[in-house]
Each structure stands twice: as C-alpha cells, then as structure tokens.
Amino acid sequence: YGDSSTFTGNATPTSFSRRQANSIFYESPNFGGFQGYVGMSTTTGSVAQTSNASSSKPRMWSAAGTYNNGPLYLTLAYENHSNFGATGTSFNGNDKGWHAGAAYQIGPVKVGALWVQRRYDMSANGATNAKINAWNLAGEWAIVGPHALRGGYTKANSVSGNSAAGLTGAAGGAFVANAGAGGTGGHI
C-alpha cells in the first residue's frame, strides 16, 4: 500500500513490497473497478555473472489484482524471489510472499484488514526455513477537512520453521494526520 523501496540486485533480500531496479512492470486499465498488475526483474544487473555463488543472479516476479469501486477495496498479491540468498549463505533458494486485504468506507470512517504470509527457503535440503503469517486491522476517521485520526494493530503470529526465532510480535498505535498543505502529522 504505497510502502515500497527501490533496491538493486539482492540488496535487502528479505524485503517484499519492493521496487526492484531493472524491472519491467505492467498495470492494466481499470475495468469497472478491477485492475491487474504484473512485474518481473530483468537480467541487466547480472549479465556478466557466471558464478554459482549465492545471490549472483537474483530474479523476482509478482502479480496482483485489486478491486476498488464505491466503498469497497479488495487486494490480492503474490511475489516470488529466486536466488536472493536471504541468509547470505551459498544456497540460492526461492522466497515467496502473499498478501490479501480489504477495506470499507462507512461515511467518514474507513476500516480495513490485511493478511500477509512470507516463506523463506534458506537451504537446499529444506532443513533451514521460515514461514511468517501476520495480520493487521486498521481504521481512519476523517474528522474534518484535511484532518484525520488513524489507528491500527498488527500481529506477527503463526511462525514456523527452524529459523523463525524472534519473528513474532505485535504493535499498535494511533496517528493524527493533516492532509493539507505541508501534510503534517504526529503519533499519539
């Protein structure tokens, strides 16, 4: 949801929702609220690489769909990373990520939920891996004009695999926003 960063090659290999350098991206026209997106990285960054070393030829591809019509917004997306070497080891595994979300506008209030799953493949024999499920509940109240109150709660749970230590947690908070000139805001 607008929270992405640009990376070259396998920089920050565990990051999803990324804007990979040297990529091709297609965004379909809007058909009655439905829209599709596909993207894939190109070989530009590793043309001269002949090594079998981890992350020498990282590739990624993704596909997503959204529905945005009236008060309802839905999203579903998938992303696959090949040879990113998330652990810095010599194994060139495949990491996968899913997300599904929904939001609904009721007058000045918008509520939403998001589910995210990440699977990290860290060894050739499957002995080292991690799977993380996380979810988020959020809301926004447009108070008046450019002012809004936002709040949310996120929890990473259902962690499995033998490399998943320390990957659980929860966070919550509120945020006061001003969308007017200057776009200021502050956490409560």
Side-chain angles (χ1 to χ4, degrees), residues 2 4 17 26 28 109:
S4 66
S17 299
Y26 174 75
S28 79
V109 176

Side-chain angles (χ1 to χ4, degrees), residues 124-161:
N125 63 3
T128 308
N129 58 60
K131 176 181 161 188
I132 302 106
N133 287 311
W135 54 268
N136 170 268
L137 298 175
E140 177 183 271
W141 171 38
I143 301 169
V144 64
H147 306 286
L149 178 63
R150 298 178 184 147
Y153 180 79
T154 301
K155 182 164 181 158
N157 58 356
S158 185
V159 177
S160 60

Side-chain angles (χ1 to χ4, degrees), residues 8-180:
T8 301
N10 66 332
T12 316
T14 59
S15 175
F16 283 81
S17 299
R18 62 192 295 133
R19 182 175 298 208
Q20 185 72 20
N22 303 315
S23 293
I24 298 169
F25 185 77
Y26 174 75
E27 180 176 331
S28 79
N30 188 317
F31 297 102
F34 290 98
Q35 200 160 12
Y37 312 85
V38 293
M40 65 178 286
S41 64
T42 64
T43 59
T44 305
S46 62
V47 167
Q49 296 288 333
T50 59
S51 170
N52 288 338
S54 174
S55 309
S56 63
K57 296 183 181 183
R59 303 285 182 272
M60 65 158 288
W61 67 270
S62 61
T66 60
Y67 176 77
N68 189 5
N69 198 352
L72 181 62
Y73 176 82
L74 302 171
T75 181
L76 179 65
Y78 175 80
E79 187 167 300
N80 183 295
H81 297 176
S82 296
N83 303 326
F84 269 63
T87 60
T89 65
S90 61
F91 176 65
N92 294 322
N94 289 314
D95 304 326
K96 299 167 179 62
W98 283 95
H99 92 226
Y104 195 81
Q105 183 86 35
I106 306 164
V109 176
K110 182 185 279 189
V111 293
L114 180 69
W115 168 80
V116 176
Q117 181 183 82
R118 302 288 185 252
R119 291 177 185 244
Y120 298 97
D121 183 12
M122 300 177 195
S123 67
N125 63 3
T128 308
N129 58 60
K131 176 181 161 188
I132 302 106
N133 287 311
W135 54 268
N136 170 268
L137 298 175
E140 177 183 271
W141 171 38
I143 301 169
V144 64
H147 306 286
L149 178 63
R150 298 178 184 147
Y153 180 79
T154 301
K155 182 164 181 158
N157 58 356
S158 185
V159 177
S160 60
N162 59 10
S163 187
L167 295 177
T168 61
F175 187 81
V176 177
N178 176 359

